[in-house]
Amino acid sequence: MSSGGVSRPRDGPISVRVAPRKDSDGDRLHLTVGDREIHATLRLEKFAKRLMLQLSDRALDLIEIAAVVYAADAAIQRGTEIDRRLGAKWRRHFAVKVPVREPGFWAEPETRSALRALLGLLSDDTFEFTFGATVRVTPEQASLKMPGQQSFAAEEALLFSGGLDSLAGALEETVNRGNRVLLVSHHSSTKLQNAQTQLVEGVAERVGSHMIRHVPLSLQVGEGQSRENTHRTRSFFFAAVCVSLVALWGLDRVRFYENGIVSMNLPISGQVISSRATRSTHPQVLTLMTRLFSRVFGRPIRVDNPLFWKTKTEVVAQIRDLGAADLIRQSRSCGAARELTKMHSHCGVCSQCIDRRFAMLAAGVAEHDPASSYEVDPLLGDREGKDREMALGYIEAARNYQRMDARAFFSHYGEATRAVAHLGLAPGPAAERLFQLHRRHGEQVTGVLDRAIKTAIDDAEGNGPGPSSPVILAGLARLGGTPAAIAEPASGAILPKGRASGDEPLKVRLRKRNVVEIEGLGSVKGASAELLVTLSLEHLSCRGLGLSPEDFSCIRATKLANRLRISEETVRRRVLQARKAIRALAKEAGLDLPEDDAFIENLPWHGYRLNPITAVIDDRDDRIPAKAPRQGRSRRTSGS
């Protein structure tokens, strides 16, 4: 049993079986996921139900397959928090048996391949499908099929989440381009549904209700049956409904509106595997959606993202320039929608809230998004633990984007190269434009941070409130030093411990994968040397990026365990052994290394690194190993 109380098989895939529909089932699907009975209910308003009458069998199959995938995704947890960090149970394997109206089409190798490729990239899971024939029902028996004809001539179709980006998209299509737009929404709570409705009404007041038709829908797993909150397959269901409706108007595309920084979702810290690692609108995902949907409907149907080349700040500025800044207050960006209150519409600690607040400040529209609407002020609020790491990781990523050149950017963020082939440009221009997008984001975020720091300094000099922001202070200490006007950095900041004044750093030479020479001290060999080699290669990588010493990154114990193929507990013992060996060599050489962190630092919430003040790597030796040592058999555990 996982901590969520969900039974997971020790070996083999998780079985997902869909029960045949009964006349009285209405909008409900019944599934058996593993050894648990699950039901999922699709709720549509009358307009959408009338449209369902006209959908093809293949379109209805697509929607039901997407609903089954979403329900299975929600029903099985991706392990415990520890499992998430170690990755032991992050990826799941589902064997799905689902009845469909056109089993022959869905069983075709090309269709299976397109479906599996999309879900694999989107969810990080493996889905295997077996398609059987469904029991057909007449239109009178199916509650989704009601008499009526479509009366709205849509010219574009958008997925409308109620966030800032989808609001910008609705305004762009209606106000700026004059298109009649179908807005398809999915909501998981009435709070989000109300926000979506208010935004649609706000746009309609500007362009007329005849320009917009809103299709809100809800797919909900039975109460108490949902165990996994990442919901990475939600966008597939969302898009499947939208593209099926789009097919009725003979349109050739579905539009996701989302800024390019979120679409790319490059990692900002080691602990965001379940949040910012999502790929809902990644360029490659949209390519795979285009491939699948075009095959399902037998003609080219494109899924695109017109906002990809904009940052969040530029999206907010677009809303402002279209005269709709007053609608910003009704939009919702928070990743914790179910927990929000009337007083606090945003939590303030998730990555979406932090990104939103920085964009508001950068675009100069903060009055439309007051800090009081956040439970914790994203810029000035106190936080600790994972929430603190999230804020610092966001700032660190922005600083990296601002400082790096293109070569360093793609070297550090290797996953960015995966998107280049899916941007509709030649590789060179696509890569350059992608880099410049992230650089602009970095400049916008750091601009807000710098102005906040100046305000804190001015307040301190004028005996005002003073520098009260742990995030600002820790971010400064971690990412570029603290101005003299701000006294002590917050605890947990990455500030290296130096040696006595005037001491030169110790020069480290990597002779072999299990021999490290420290100039003037001697050699460290064996397992301790393997650890030092791994830390030294990270040190060299940071230096190659042009980072200042205080910016040099750490390696978490989990990653060290992975690279060295040992357990986390063994990592800790090995660090102690290496420190002891280095202190012994120093003592023999008449040098004083009194602190444990004098050579190998252990920074809370960040991990281990070579102290960049005490150590410097001599990279002139051509015997430096190309990568960290990976010897011995894996003994990594899923424990703490």
Side-chain angles (χ1 to χ4, degrees), residues 288-559:
L288 292 173
M289 282 186 177
T290 295
R291 172 189 168 192
L292 175 63
F293 296 157
S294 296
R295 180 163 179 78
V296 169
F297 294 98
R299 60 184 177 85
I301 295 184
R302 188 158 43 96
V303 184
D304 67 8
N305 177 9
L307 283 186
F308 183 79
W309 297 113
K310 290 182 181 291
T311 67
K312 178 72 82 175
T313 297
E314 291 158 359
V315 168
V316 173
Q318 181 174 336
I319 295 172
R320 178 199 65 203
D321 294 344
L322 288 173
D326 58 300
L327 295 181
I328 287 174
R329 192 184 295 262
Q330 276 73 51
S331 68
R332 297 293 181 267
S333 304
C334 186
R338 289 180 178 273
E339 302 171 13
L340 304 180
T341 65
K342 289 184 178 180
M343 181 176 296
H344 301 300
S345 59
H346 290 80
C347 72
V349 298
C350 70
S351 62
Q352 296 95 317
C353 284
I354 296 170
D355 200 31
R356 175 188 176 100
R357 185 59 176 165
F358 270 82
M360 296 296 170
L361 293 166
V365 294
E367 69 274 16
H368 296 289
D369 185 60
S372 59
S373 66
Y374 296 86
E375 188 174 359
V376 176
D377 188 316
L379 187 66
L380 300 177
D382 198 2
R383 65 198 73 205
E384 57 186 33
K386 290 191 296 183
D387 293 340
R388 180 185 179 84
E389 268 302 287
M390 179 68 74
L392 291 176
Y394 179 86
I395 295 170
E396 181 177 22
R399 288 287 196 203
N400 283 343
Y401 300 154
Q402 180 193 34
R403 293 173 174 177
M404 290 175 177
D405 59 19
R407 182 175 180 179
F409 173 78
F410 284 102
S411 175
H412 190 72
Y413 298 102
E415 57 267 50
T417 59
R418 181 168 59 186
V420 169
H422 304 278
L423 297 177
L425 300 171
E432 175 62 22
R433 197 171 177 186
L434 186 60
F435 163 66
Q436 292 297 341
L437 169 72
H438 285 80
R439 170 169 277 186
R440 292 199 311 276
H441 171 72
E443 291 170 347
Q444 290 156 1
V445 169
T446 54
V448 170
L449 187 61
D450 291 343
R451 288 193 294 274
I453 292 164
K454 184 178 184 303
T455 299
I457 293 172
D458 291 345
D459 286 343
E461 291 176 343
N463 296 318
S468 59
S469 167
V471 172
I472 290 178
L473 295 179
L476 273 177
R478 181 173 181 173
L479 304 170
T482 305
I486 298 182
E488 294 297 325
S491 61
I494 298 186
L495 288 177
K497 298 178 181 179
R499 295 166 63 208
S501 176
D503 283 351
E504 291 295 325
L506 298 172
K507 191 169 290 185
V508 179
R509 293 191 178 93
L510 312 183
R511 293 304 190 188
K512 297 179 181 178
R513 289 189 176 181
N514 61 351
V515 178
V516 172
E517 180 184 307
I518 303 175
E519 187 177 63
L521 299 188
S523 296
V524 178
K525 300 179 180 179
S528 294
E530 292 175 6
L531 170 71
L532 290 174
V533 168
T534 304
L535 296 175
S536 296
L537 293 176
E538 185 74 13
H539 186 105
L540 281 172
S541 175
C542 294
R543 198 169 78 191
L545 293 172
L547 303 180
S548 57
E550 59 268 24
D551 297 339
F552 281 20
S553 61
C554 298
I555 307 178
R556 294 181 183 274
T558 52
K559 288 189 176 181

Side-chain angles (χ1 to χ4, degrees), residues 498-500 583 586 591-598:
R499 295 166 63 208
R583 278 201 305 271
L591 293 178
D592 183 22
L593 293 177
E595 305 231 17
D596 277 347
D597 279 6

